[in-house]
Amino acid sequence: SAVISQKPSRDICQRGTSLTIQCQVDSQVTMMFWYRQQPGQSLTLIATANQGSEATYESGFVIDKFPISRPNLTFSTLTVSNMSPEDSSIYLCSVAEGASNQPQHFGDGTRLSIL
Amino acid sequence: QKEVEQNSGPLSVPEGAIASLNCTYSDRGSQSFFWYRQYSGKSPELIMFIYSNGDKEDGRFTAQLNKASQYVSLLIRDSQPSDSATYLCAGKATYNTDKLIFGTGTRLQVFP
């Protein structure tokens, strides 16, 4: 499966600031996704990153708070804007190759703490 | 609201035993199911996926799918302490074939 590099691996940020997380894949992939995993919780999909167009956001997530870019088939970024302590979480990039029924594989995640 | 449900556990089994992890789903139209293993502090790792009714085996792992009962399970034979982790069940929603709905996960503890 594709090798997924996500950075930073962790960060501690001040409230009110923004952080951009990068996801780089070593091969072209059809689908890229961004998830959030809050402490002790399961994974919640934030959005599907669409190449060359606006991301598709899930209920409860908005572009102003979580702007996403996907300029090509191997790279995407997620920005967490105007952070508050409630944004402290692990943010995960996942990718799916080929046909739509292929399994998703996850990057190592970004552990974000907001002070 | 489409849901995937799992018992949070912990499920404790002795080394060498069979661990049985279960998952139910509410979306009768879901076609694909995935099992991920997540060690503490790590990201989810794909273990198995299953699309058809019946059993699918891969080494010590067997995934079972019963669409009539809306039930998915993962069996781990000859459980090892290194299998201790949280196991996440995920189903692919029918209204968007690319979106995964995750269960809350079952924590498995294998003791020597």
Side-chain angles (χ1 to χ4, degrees):
Chain A
S1 60
V3 175
I4 306 164
S5 301
Q6 192 174 331
K7 58 182 181 181
S9 58
R10 60 178 64 234
D11 208 339
I12 300 173
C13 301
Q14 298 293 322
R15 68 175 69 200
T17 62
S18 299
L19 178 75
T20 295
I21 302 167
Q22 299 181 359
C23 180
Q24 177 75 55
V25 192
D26 70 342
S27 60
Q28 293 186 343
V29 293
T30 306
M31 307 297 297
M32 297 182 78
F33 305 88
W34 288 98
Y35 288 84
R36 181 174 73 183
Q37 187 172 30
Q38 296 182 302
Q41 303 295 314
S42 190
L43 280 73
T44 301
L45 181 64
I46 297 172
T48 302
N50 300 310
Q51 192 251 332
S53 64
E54 190 172 291
T56 303
Y57 289 85
E58 296 300 308
S59 176
F61 298 96
V62 295
I63 188 171
D64 289 346
K65 176 66 175 177
F66 298 102
I68 289 170
S69 78
R70 189 179 173 191
N72 55 51
L73 293 176
T74 65
F75 185 77
S76 179
T77 67
L78 167 73
T79 299
V80 186
S81 303
N82 188 24
M83 290 184 284
S84 66
E86 293 72 34
D87 294 320
S88 296
S89 188
I90 299 172
Y91 293 86
L92 293 150
C93 166
S94 78
V95 305
E97 303 173 69
S100 64
N101 220 21
Q102 293 300 304
Q104 293 181 25
H105 297 275
F106 288 85
D108 289 340
T110 296
R111 188 178 297 270
L112 183 57
S113 298
I114 314 304
L115 302 179
Chain B
Q1 177 73 15
K2 312 297 183 183
E3 291 184 348
V4 173
E5 297 192 1
Q6 298 179 256
N7 188 318
S8 60
L11 172 67
S12 293
V13 300
E15 185 175 357
I18 296 175
S20 178
L21 303 158
N22 304 314
C23 169
T24 59
Y25 60 95
S26 62
D27 181 4
R28 183 169 289 278
S30 292
Q31 299 296 316
S32 315
F33 297 89
F34 305 84
W35 283 99
Y36 290 85
R37 177 177 62 198
Q38 187 172 28
Y39 292 114
S40 180
K42 301 294 186 181
S43 65
E45 172 193 10
L46 181 71
I47 297 297
M48 295 280 293
F49 58 91
I50 186 165
Y51 303 147
S52 304
N53 268 330
D55 296 358
K56 179 182 179 182
E57 187 174 317
D58 184 1
R60 295 188 296 115
F61 299 97
T62 298
Q64 299 175 318
L65 174 59
N66 184 326
K67 291 185 178 181
S69 301
Q70 296 178 236
Y71 178 88
V72 191
S73 65
L74 179 70
L75 302 178
I76 306 175
R77 288 181 298 281
D78 188 24
S79 296
Q80 301 297 310
S82 59
D83 294 325
S84 299
T86 296
Y87 289 80
L88 299 166
C89 172
K92 192 159 274 191
T94 52
Y95 54 87
N96 177 339
T97 56
D98 300 309
K99 175 181 172 180
L100 289 182
I101 307 295
F102 279 87
T104 52
T106 297
R107 188 157 63 93
L108 173 66
Q109 295 177 336
V110 181
F111 56 91

